[in-house]
Each structure stands twice: as structure tokens, then as C-alpha cells.
Coordinates of all heavy atoms in Angstrom, one line a residue:
L421 N 0.9 -1.1 0.1 CA 0.0 0.0 0.0 C 0.9 1.3 0.0 O 1.8 1.3 0.8 CB -0.9 0.1 1.2 CG -1.8 1.3 1.5 CD1 -2.8 1.4 0.3 CD2 -2.5 1.2 2.8
I422 N 0.6 2.1 -1.0 CA 1.4 3.4 -1.0 C 0.4 4.6 -0.8 O -0.6 4.6 -1.4 CB 2.1 3.7 -2.4 CG1 3.0 2.5 -2.6 CG2 2.7 4.8 -2.4 CD1 3.8 2.5 -4.0
A423 N 0.7 5.3 0.2 CA 0.0 6.6 0.4 C 0.4 7.6 -0.7 O 1.6 7.8 -0.7 CB 0.3 7.2 1.8
P424 N -0.5 8.2 -1.3 CA -0.3 9.1 -2.4 C 0.6 10.4 -1.7 O 0.3 10.7 -0.6 CB -1.5 9.5 -2.9 CG -2.5 8.6 -2.5 CD -2.0 8.0 -1.2
P425 N 1.4 11.0 -2.5 CA 2.0 12.3 -1.9 C 0.9 13.2 -1.8 O -0.1 13.2 -2.5 CB 3.0 12.7 -3.1 CG 2.7 11.9 -4.3 CD 1.9 10.7 -3.8
P426 N 1.1 14.1 -0.8 CA 0.0 15.2 -0.6 C -0.1 16.1 -1.8 O 0.9 16.4 -2.5 CB 0.5 15.9 0.6 CG 1.9 15.7 0.7 CD 2.1 14.3 0.2
I427 N -1.3 16.5 -2.0 CA -1.6 17.5 -3.1 C -0.9 18.8 -2.7 O -0.6 18.9 -1.4 CB -3.0 17.6 -3.5 CG1 -3.8 18.1 -2.3 CG2 -3.6 16.3 -4.1 CD1 -5.3 18.5 -2.7
V428 N -0.8 19.8 -3.6 CA -0.1 21.1 -3.2 C -1.0 22.2 -3.9 O -2.0 21.9 -4.6 CB 1.2 21.2 -3.8 CG1 2.2 20.1 -3.2 CG2 1.3 21.0 -5.4
P429 N -0.8 23.5 -3.5 CA -1.7 24.4 -4.1 C -1.6 24.4 -5.6 O -0.5 24.1 -6.2 CB -1.0 25.8 -3.6 CG -0.5 25.3 -2.3 CD 0.1 23.9 -2.5
G430 N -2.7 24.5 -6.3 CA -2.7 24.4 -7.7 C -4.2 24.7 -8.2 O -5.1 25.0 -7.5
A431 N -4.3 24.5 -9.6 CA -5.6 24.9 -10.2 C -6.7 24.0 -9.7 O -7.9 24.4 -9.8 CB -5.4 24.8 -11.7
W432 N -6.4 22.7 -9.3 CA -7.4 21.8 -8.9 C -7.6 21.8 -7.4 O -8.5 20.9 -7.0 CB -7.2 20.4 -9.4 CG -7.3 20.2 -11.0 CD1 -7.3 21.1 -11.9 CD2 -7.5 18.9 -11.5 NE1 -7.4 20.5 -13.1 CE2 -7.6 19.1 -13.0 CE3 -7.5 17.6 -11.1 CZ2 -7.7 18.2 -13.9 CZ3 -7.6 16.6 -12.0 CH2 -7.8 16.9 -13.4
V433 N -6.9 22.5 -6.8 CA -7.0 22.5 -5.2 C -7.7 23.6 -4.7 O -7.4 24.8 -5.0 CB -5.5 22.3 -4.7 CG1 -5.5 22.2 -3.2 CG2 -4.8 21.1 -5.3
E434 N -8.8 23.3 -4.0 CA -9.6 24.4 -3.5 C -9.1 25.1 -2.2 O -9.6 26.3 -2.0 CB -11.1 23.9 -3.2 CG -11.7 23.4 -4.6 CD -13.0 22.8 -4.3 OE1 -13.5 22.8 -3.2 OE2 -13.7 22.3 -5.3
G435 N -8.2 24.5 -1.6 CA -7.7 25.2 -0.3 C -6.9 24.3 0.5 O -6.6 23.2 0.4
Q436 N -6.4 24.9 1.7 CA -5.6 24.3 2.6 C -6.2 23.0 3.2 O -5.6 22.1 3.5 CB -5.1 25.1 3.7 CG -4.1 24.6 4.7 CD -2.7 24.3 3.9 OE1 -2.2 25.0 3.1 NE2 -2.2 23.1 4.3
G437 N -7.6 23.1 3.4 CA -8.2 21.9 4.0 C -8.1 20.6 3.2 O -7.8 19.5 3.6
Q438 N -8.0 20.8 1.8 CA -7.9 19.7 0.9 C -6.3 19.1 1.1 O -6.1 17.9 1.2 CB -8.1 19.9 -0.6 CG -9.5 20.0 -0.9 CD -9.7 20.3 -2.4 OE1 -9.1 21.1 -2.9 NE2 -10.6 19.4 -3.0
I439 N -5.5 20.1 1.2 CA -4.1 19.7 1.4 C -3.8 18.9 2.8 O -3.2 17.9 2.8 CB -3.2 20.9 1.2 CG1 -3.3 21.5 -0.1 CG2 -1.7 20.5 1.6 CD1 -2.7 22.9 -0.2
D440 N -4.5 19.4 3.8 CA -4.5 18.9 5.2 C -5.0 17.5 5.1 O -4.5 16.5 5.7 CB -5.0 19.7 6.2 CG -4.5 21.1 6.4 OD1 -3.2 21.2 5.9 OD2 -5.0 21.9 6.9
D441 N -6.1 17.3 4.3 CA -6.7 16.0 4.3 C -5.8 14.9 3.6 O -5.8 13.7 4.1 CB -8.1 16.1 3.5 CG -9.3 16.6 4.3 OD1 -9.1 16.8 5.4 OD2 -10.2 16.9 3.7
T442 N -5.1 15.3 2.6 CA -4.1 14.4 2.0 C -3.0 14.0 2.9 O -2.6 12.9 2.8 CB -3.6 14.8 0.7 OG1 -2.9 16.1 0.8 CG2 -4.7 15.1 -0.3
I443 N -2.6 14.9 3.8 CA -1.6 14.7 4.8 C -2.1 13.6 5.8 O -1.4 12.6 6.2 CB -1.0 15.9 5.4 CG1 -0.2 16.6 4.3 CG2 -0.1 15.6 6.6 CD1 0.1 18.1 4.6
A444 N -3.3 14.0 6.3 CA -3.9 13.0 7.2 C -4.3 11.6 6.7 O -4.1 10.6 7.4 CB -5.3 13.7 7.7
Y445 N -4.6 11.6 5.4 CA -4.9 10.4 4.8 C -3.6 9.4 4.8 O -3.7 8.2 5.0 CB -5.4 10.5 3.4 CG -5.7 9.3 2.7 CD1 -6.8 8.4 3.0 CD2 -4.9 9.0 1.4 CE1 -6.9 7.3 2.3 CE2 -5.2 7.8 0.7 CZ -6.3 7.0 1.2 OH -6.5 5.8 0.6
A446 N -2.4 10.0 4.6 CA -1.3 9.2 4.6 C -1.1 8.6 5.9 O -0.7 7.3 6.1 CB 0.0 10.1 4.3
R447 N -1.5 9.3 7.1 CA -1.4 8.7 8.4 C -2.4 7.7 8.5 O -2.1 6.6 9.2 CB -1.6 9.7 9.5 CG -0.5 10.8 9.5 CD -0.6 11.6 10.8 NE -1.7 12.5 10.7 CZ -1.7 13.7 10.3 NH1 -0.8 14.3 9.8 NH2 -2.9 14.4 10.3
C448 N -3.6 7.8 7.9 CA -4.5 6.7 8.0 C -4.1 5.5 7.3 O -4.4 4.4 7.7 CB -5.9 7.2 7.4 SG -6.7 8.5 8.4
C449 N -3.5 5.6 6.2 CA -3.0 4.5 5.3 C -1.9 3.8 6.2 O -1.9 2.6 6.0 CB -2.4 5.1 4.0 SG -3.6 5.5 2.7
R450 N -1.1 4.5 6.7 CA 0.0 3.8 7.6 C -0.5 2.9 8.7 O -0.1 1.8 8.8 CB 1.0 4.9 8.2 CG 2.0 4.2 9.0 CD 3.1 5.3 9.7 NE 3.6 6.1 8.8 CZ 4.7 5.9 8.0 NH1 5.3 4.7 8.1 NH2 5.2 6.8 7.2
A451 N -1.6 3.5 9.3 CA -2.3 2.8 10.4 C -3.0 1.6 9.9 O -2.9 0.5 10.4 CB -3.2 3.7 11.1
L452 N -3.6 1.7 8.8 CA -4.3 0.6 8.0 C -3.4 -0.5 7.7 O -3.7 -1.7 7.9 CB -5.1 1.1 6.9 CG -5.8 0.1 6.0 CD1 -6.9 -0.6 6.8 CD2 -6.5 0.8 4.8
A453 N -2.2 -0.1 7.1 CA -1.4 -1.1 6.7 C -0.7 -1.9 7.9 O -0.6 -3.1 7.9 CB -0.2 -0.5 5.9
Q454 N -0.5 -1.1 9.0 CA 0.1 -1.8 10.2 C -1.0 -2.8 10.7 O -0.7 -3.9 11.1 CB 0.4 -0.8 11.2 CG 1.7 0.0 10.9 CD 1.9 1.1 11.9 OE1 1.1 1.6 12.6 NE2 3.3 1.5 12.0
R455 N -2.3 -2.4 10.8 CA -3.3 -3.2 11.3 C -3.5 -4.5 10.5 O -3.8 -5.6 11.0 CB -4.7 -2.3 11.4 CG -5.7 -3.1 12.2 CD -6.9 -2.3 12.4 NE -7.6 -1.8 11.2 CZ -8.2 -2.4 10.3 NH1 -8.4 -3.8 10.5 NH2 -8.8 -1.9 9.3
L456 N -3.4 -4.3 9.1 CA -3.7 -5.4 8.2 C -2.4 -6.3 8.1 O -2.5 -7.3 7.5 CB -4.1 -5.0 6.9 CG -5.4 -4.2 6.7 CD1 -5.7 -3.8 5.4 CD2 -6.5 -5.2 7.2

């Protein structure tokens, strides 16, 4: 399982909340992989 790199400010990114979500998602993926 690979956590995608976080998104960055750009044309498709609506704000810091989306960026923060991708960073938090990587932590969720790490925990999921450990659990599985």
C-alpha cells in the first residue's frame, strides 16, 4: 500500500483543507497497513 503524496496548491486544489486531508490520509494509510 502506497500513500499518495500530498496535493499542493494548484488549479484543482480548493484550499488548505484539501491539502491537510491528503496529509492526514497518509497517516490513516500507515495505520491501516500496520493493522492489516
